Amino acid sequence: MSGRDPSRYSSPRWRPRVVHDIVLAVAEQMEDAGLPMPPAAFYRTLSEHAESAAQEWIADAIAQAGTESADADLAKVRHLLDTLGDELFIGTELAVDATLARLLAYLLVDCTDGYNYACCDLHWGMNPDPEWGTRWGIHQDIRDLSPAFLFKLCRKGDVRFLAVECHAPTRRLPEDAAARLRARTLIVSGVPVLAFSPAEIEGDPAACVAEIGNALAILAQELLALHGIEPPPRHDFRPRTGA
């Protein structure tokens, strides 16, 4: 692990372009450290994307002031301010792969389970599960797998897992989003695994994160249905038994 001082990027005051600047600053630090990472142009695009997301969340929070939705939007902005720099640096260091670093970066900004912001857990196994929420780790073991990314959805002691890998060849996938998600999903040792090709991640990491989010949303709704809060999901991205 790096000897970098994490306080350098922690809790800056909000101002326009601060998220943009956090991304570019940590990209420079990663380059100086010699980490396997995408080129500088990727981080320039990411910095604009992350800044735009933060601005949109703030605008939504202002429009819905005093509601739980506004609080959730502001919490996402605060999360970017507090942790994005450190998670991007340490996560890229753990990924040890420039393609995975692309997906990691967009997961840090965009990933939700349809109900909650999905938080990166850099200390997997050291923290208790949330009462309700999703966390994810990098190269964590589950059963006989060690996927690139492992997601754990939690609801009052019940859990669902989703693994994400980057090794599938480029394929002709269906246009329909639900059919495409099912087509790229495998079941390995009882764990659903979404497999993306390097070309897909390098071409559009945001679209890959959107597909991951769709799968997480189905699993989250399944947990809510288990607790009698929502009806069971109408669609399931997981292949049928024996398929």
Side-chain angles (χ1 to χ4, degrees):
M1 299 291 286
S2 134
R4 173 177 168 274
D5 177 8
S7 65
R8 182 171 180 179
Y9 292 102
S10 61
S11 302
R13 289 175 60 88
W14 167 256
R15 59 174 171 77
R17 307 291 284 175
V18 66
V19 176
H20 166 277
D21 293 346
I22 287 171
V23 172
L24 294 187
V26 77
E28 183 177 344
Q29 288 288 319
M30 291 190 297
E31 184 176 15
D32 290 345
L35 302 187
M37 56 187 283
F42 169 82
Y43 290 100
R44 289 194 293 270
T45 299
L46 176 69
S47 68
E48 296 293 345
H49 176 77
E51 177 68 25
S52 177
Q55 295 281 4
E56 183 176 340
W57 292 333
I58 290 171
D60 288 346
I62 292 171
Q64 303 177 74
T67 67
E68 289 186 5
S69 179
D71 291 343
D73 284 333
L74 290 177
K76 288 187 284 188
V77 177
R78 173 50 59 189
H79 184 80
L80 292 185
L81 293 176
D82 287 347
T83 67
L84 179 59
D86 290 324
E87 289 178 346
L88 190 55
F89 189 102
I90 298 172
T92 300
E93 191 174 30
L94 293 174
V96 199
D97 180 276
T99 299
L100 294 185
R102 289 177 184 264
L103 189 55
L104 166 94
Y106 276 81
L107 285 169
L108 289 173
V109 177
D110 290 342
C111 192
T112 77
D113 62 15
Y115 301 86
N116 308 288
Y117 186 79
C119 294
C120 179
D121 187 346
L122 296 172
H123 306 286
W124 195 267
M126 296 178 63
N127 300 313
D129 290 340
E131 183 82 355
W132 168 227
T134 296
R135 60 192 182 94
W136 54 275
I138 306 159
H139 297 306
Q140 297 299 324
D141 295 335
I142 178 170
R143 298 172 192 169
D144 58 344
L145 306 176
S146 182
F149 300 101
L150 179 64
F151 294 80
K152 186 177 185 181
L153 300 92
C154 307
R155 175 72 187 185
K156 294 186 176 180
D158 293 302
V159 300
R160 294 291 184 273
F161 288 99
L162 175 70
V164 172
E165 273 291 8
C166 173
H167 55 57
T170 301
R171 294 174 292 164
R172 292 186 298 276
L173 296 167
E175 290 296 324
D176 176 74
R180 184 173 63 246
L181 193 58
R182 181 185 290 276
R184 73 160 76 257
T185 306
L186 309 170
I187 298 291
V188 181
S189 297
V191 179
V193 181
L194 290 186
F196 296 93
S197 72
E200 288 169 327
I201 293 173
E202 291 169 9
D204 195 345
C208 296
V209 171
E211 289 197 42
I212 293 168
N214 288 338
L216 292 174
I218 291 170
L219 294 173
Q221 188 178 356
E222 189 175 275
L223 282 176
L224 290 175
L226 188 64
H227 288 263
I229 297 171
E230 289 219 13
R234 293 178 55 200
H235 303 290
D236 191 345
F237 67 96
R238 291 160 290 194
R240 295 178 181 85
T241 303

